[in-house]
Structures are given as C-alpha cells and as structure tokens.
Amino acid sequence: MTVRIGFIGAGEVSISHLQNLLRLPEVEVVALCDLSPDRIAATRTAVDRALATMDPYARRLEGVAYADYRSMLRDEHLDAVYVCLPPFAHGDPEETVLEADLPMLVEKPVALALPVAARILSTIQRKDSLVASGYQLRYAAHLRRARALLAGRTIGMVLVMRFGRTPTTSWYHLQAKSGGQMIEMATHQIDMLRYLVGDIRTVYAAAATRINHLRQPDYDIFDVNCMTLQFENGAVGTVACNFLADHGTPETARGLHIFCDGLTLSLGSTLRASYADRTEETALDSDPIAAEDAAFIRAVAEDRRDLIQSDYANGVRTLAVTIANDRSARSSQPVDVRDLLRAEAPDAS
C-alpha cells in the first residue's frame, strides 16, 4: 500500500520528517502547505540536498505546493497528514484534518493553550481518529532500555538540566507565540520524565527574564527557569532550563539523572547505568525521529494503533505540566496538574 502524505507547515521541523519519509518506498509526499511559498522552496532545497548527500539517486521532494490547507485537503487524495506548526498556530488545522477523517501526526507542543488542545482531543475521541503527537524520544531504543532498567525500582529523585541559546526564529522570543522554553522546547524533557518516572502531580516553579530582554526589548519569555516536581509515585524532581548559555554549557551541567534504589541512571552523551559494583554504558539512538516516522506510516497503512508510542492525549498531559510550570512561576504558588487537567482538559485527565 502506498501511503500518501500531506504536510501542513513546511518549517524547520518538517525537514527531518520529509527526509525520513522520502526514504520509505511505501510513502509518497504529495503536498506541502505553508503560508510562505519561499519557505516551501527552502524546505525542498534543504531536503533534496540532504538526501543527495546520502544517495545521489534518492527521490526528490516533488509534492504540490499550497498556501491553504483546506484547499490541499479538498484537492488531494491523502491517507494522512503531518501538522508541523508553531505553538500559536494549532487549532483549526487539526480540526479540519479530523473532519476530513484523516490520521495525523501533530508536532509538539500540541497547542499553546489547554482549551485548544482539549477541543481537538474531544473531536479525536468522538471520531476515534488515529493521531500521534511528536514525542519522538519514546521511540528510541535507549529510552526503552532505561525504562526497563527502572522497572520495579523505587525512584527517589530526578534531575534535568537543559541550557542553550534562544532560537533565532522570529516568533520564538514572544510569549504569545512560543510559550517559552519550557512549553516549546523542554517539553521533550518533561515527556521523557513522564515516560520513565510516571505522571507528575504537582509543579512549583520560579522563573524570570533576567538578561535577554536587555538587548532585545520585545523579548518577553523567561530566560531562566527552575521547576520542582512531585510525581504521583512520590518521587521528587528538579528541572532547570535557561537561554543564557551563549558561552557554552559545562559538561557536568546537562542531561537527565535518576537516583533510585541500587541504581543511578544518567542520560547524556550515553545512557549510563551506575551500580554499586559496575557501570554500564549504552550508545544513544542516532535518529529516533526516523523510528517515529516509520511507526506512524505503518500504523496508518495497517491500522496498528499499538505502534503509536505517544498519542494526542499523552501530548495534552505533557502540555499540562509545562503550562503548570508557567502558571506557578507567575503566581509563586504550586499548581496541581490533575486539577489543571480536570478544569481545562478533562478528557485527558
């Protein structure tokens, strides 16, 4: 079966997906939709150039260009859609795909606001649609190994550090567009914690805009963020993020660390499992996005929903934790994630 794919959004995040899909013989990318024709052209060039370096005889990206996703959905015979949009643009595109009765993969974060995600989730559940959310780390073999190593152990504490520079995308430094680092970027770390440790009950955060607004006056997202977590199973955790690492990040100040009975698990340049008498290291998967794309295509072709490691409801739950972080930082009060979901996205609670 040939799986015919359309894309809504042709920005940077779509490039990796497109490279992977064009290397799957059963996939045909038939359409690309973006408000900017120049962006579609740039993505074509980037994808074709990357594929040519791997294989000079590789397929080229030949999908029809659209500026309106409704026209694309109406005019093209599609089997599934990738929704690769910035946080502020989610909502109507997903609902339109669902009304067309098409499966879709929605890149993270699934929305900027919980009520928007809740409305989409309600439609997904009503129509029993096949929808994946773009948390590709769940498809990585090293993460599955980490989960297996943690199974049955009592986890005491987790520590996550992610430091870097603010992306140069024009909308990223605006709270109303990106939601900030925790919602848009560190969402991967939050989802990884939920996958490895369990659901998060309470969030207490302190965050601020300390430096970046001094050289960019309209910069209004937090550039420093520290969050304390309490998990449903009783474990506690700390997540520290910033956009101040223009001069580099110390090797010791990065990655994920989980402290539990008889084991310390660290995920950095490798997966390191430290026991009382030995240390074991496992290499990281080089391309979990490729595994995610292959699983999604197979799920569509064979109606194998069991292959989807992160459905839309999971994406909503991860979004809730990052929104709880933002609200706690602004109110200086802890936020109960369960209460937040019950109030604003009850179908995901």
Side-chain angles (χ1 to χ4, degrees):
M1 171 185 176
T2 298
V3 181
R4 295 169 58 87
I5 300 294
F7 271 71
I8 300 177
E12 184 175 349
V13 71
S14 69
I15 293 174
S16 293
H17 290 301
L18 286 162
Q19 290 176 25
N20 294 331
L21 294 176
L22 288 172
R23 295 164 70 189
L24 297 174
E26 67 272 28
V27 173
E28 184 179 358
V29 178
V30 299
L32 302 168
C33 177
D34 199 285
L35 292 174
S36 169
D38 291 342
R39 186 174 293 116
I40 292 178
T43 294
R44 287 189 197 276
T45 299
V47 171
D48 288 347
R49 182 179 293 129
L51 289 174
T53 62
M54 302 175 197
D55 179 1
Y57 301 103
R59 285 189 290 170
R60 297 297 180 256
L61 181 55
E62 298 177 347
V64 179
Y66 286 86
D68 174 49
Y69 56 85
R70 293 180 183 275
S71 297
M72 181 186 78
L73 295 172
R74 182 186 64 242
D75 296 346
E76 299 290 342
H77 172 65
L78 300 174
D79 295 308
V81 176
Y82 275 67
V83 180
C84 298
L85 296 170
F88 64 88
H90 290 286
D92 186 71
E94 287 92 336
E95 292 179 308
T96 305
V97 173
L98 291 170
E99 290 306 319
D101 291 320
L102 291 172
M104 63 180 171
L105 186 149
V106 180
E107 260 301 342
K108 61 77 201 167
V110 295
L112 192 56
L114 275 173
V116 173
R119 191 173 69 239
I120 295 168
L121 179 60
S122 177
T123 304
I124 290 169
Q125 293 177 339
R126 173 173 58 85
K127 297 179 73 68
D128 192 27
S129 302
L130 190 162
V131 180
S133 60
Y135 289 98
Q136 70 266 17
L137 292 177
R138 290 184 176 231
Y139 296 82
H142 67 266
L143 214 62
R144 293 195 299 273
R145 172 166 171 74
R147 195 180 193 192
L149 291 174
L150 292 167
R153 295 184 181 272
T154 299
I155 297 172
M157 178 183 177
V158 300
L159 172 64
V160 177
M161 295 173 283
R162 179 166 183 166
F163 309 125
R165 303 178 182 182
T166 310
T168 57
T169 309
S170 62
W171 46 264
Y172 203 104
H173 65 284
L174 302 174
Q175 181 68 26
K177 297 289 187 179
S178 72
Q181 184 182 18
M182 193 68 74
I183 289 175
E184 202 285 332
M185 184 179 287
T187 181
H188 280 300
Q189 277 66 41
I190 300 304
D191 190 72
M192 189 161 44
L193 288 179
R194 291 186 55 248
Y195 180 73
L196 293 176
V197 182
D199 273 319
I200 294 163
R201 176 186 299 176
T202 308
V203 169
Y204 183 70
T209 308
R210 295 289 297 162
I211 294 174
N212 288 329
H213 66 296
L214 300 177
R215 54 179 176 258
Q216 194 170 358
D218 63 343
Y219 190 110
D220 68 348
I221 61 173
F222 296 135
D223 58 12
V224 291
N225 197 322
C226 292
M227 174 169 59
T228 298
L229 308 171
Q230 183 176 27
F231 291 82
E232 294 280 3
N233 60 17
V236 299
T238 296
V239 179
C241 298
N242 75 42
F243 276 146
L244 300 182
D246 297 56
H247 309 298
T249 301
E251 184 63 35
T252 54
R254 61 182 67 184
L256 162 70
H257 308 278
I258 301 176
F259 303 87
C260 49
D261 63 307
L263 169 68
T264 296
L265 197 68
S266 296
L267 185 59
S269 56
T270 63
L271 174 65
R272 178 188 289 259
S274 299
Y275 303 91
D277 59 347
R278 70 191 189 282
T279 297
E280 300 173 354
E281 290 197 63
T282 304
L284 306 187
D285 280 15
S286 59
D287 194 359
I289 301 178
E292 175 190 45
D293 289 328
F296 177 68
I297 294 302
R298 187 179 173 196
V300 171
E302 302 176 14
D303 194 23
R304 287 281 308 279
R305 300 182 185 213
D306 59 299
L307 298 174
I308 302 299
Q309 300 299 311
S310 182
D311 61 11
Y312 193 88
N314 178 74
V316 178
R317 295 185 193 107
T318 295
L319 174 65
V321 177
T322 60
I323 287 178
N325 166 84
D326 192 79
R327 294 189 185 177
S328 177
R330 296 181 191 280
S331 67
S332 299
Q333 297 295 320
V335 174
D336 188 302
V337 178
R338 299 166 302 178
D339 290 345
L340 182 59
L341 281 168
R342 281 192 287 262
E344 299 186 21
D347 288 340
S349 65

